[in-house]
Amino acid sequence: MNNKFRWFFGLLVLIAVSLFLYSYFVDDSLLAKRKSPIDTVKLIENDLVFEVVYNRPSKRGRDIFGGLVPYNKVWRTGANEATTFKCSKPIKIGNDSLPAGKYTLWTIPNDSTWQVMFNSKQYPWGVDAKMNPLREPEFDVVHISVPVERLNQIVEQFTIGFNNTLDSISLTMAWDNTKIGIPLKTFD
């Protein structure tokens, strides 16, 4: 039995070394940095916690809104996995209430306004094999329209953040020369 274990362990080590060498010298996709790295953004204020997990694609000289991200079509709001938004307490977004929990975040960009949807279903990926968004509208909890702000400087990498000023919180998204802000209000 001891010889079988050594043989099996040796085979596993050989496979692991082979995969490492192959990925290093031939196909560096296993070790390469992601073109759209994953990021987490949090806002913590007393017992209120907001968290967004998303992937950050870069402009890399491309036309973004109205080009790479078509107008009037659902966008996964980032790249790769579906973007998620978590809130520790119920909040108000526009005229709608969003219960505490975890949601996927979807948008429909347009030149002057964006539609933003908070969806209760968790999707393992943002799009299917044909690059169609996986969002199922029947699971939308909140749907809000927000205006577009034009920026004077180009934002190279898609960025989500929180703006917390003067007792007002907004979830912001910026990329290329476009920025939006989604107002978030607590019930306190």
Side-chain angles (χ1 to χ4, degrees), residues 148-159:
V148 167
E149 177 186 338
R150 293 287 168 221
L151 302 173
N152 293 328
Q153 291 186 322
I154 298 296
V155 176
E156 174 63 26
Q157 194 171 31
F158 179 59
T159 302

Side-chain angles (χ1 to χ4, degrees), residues 37-49:
I38 195 163
D39 200 358
T40 301
V41 178
K42 282 187 179 182
L43 174 70
I44 301 171
E45 191 172 286
N46 300 322
D47 59 347
L48 176 64
V49 179

Side-chain angles (χ1 to χ4, degrees), residues 77-98:
T77 316
N80 305 331
E81 298 88 357
T83 295
T84 59
F85 174 88
K86 280 198 250 182
C87 53
S88 62
K89 294 173 67 173
I91 58 172
K92 189 169 184 164
I93 300 174
N95 295 323
D96 296 321
S97 296
L98 186 70

Side-chain angles (χ1 to χ4, degrees), residues 7 19 26-27 30 34 50 92-93 103 107 111 125 139 147 151 153 161 163 180-181:
W7 181 83
L19 283 173
V26 179
D27 178 21
L30 291 176
R34 293 176 105 178
F50 292 128
K92 189 169 184 164
I93 300 174
Y103 301 90
T107 52
D111 188 39
W125 202 251
F139 293 100
L151 302 173
Q153 291 186 322
N163 186 357
I180 64 163

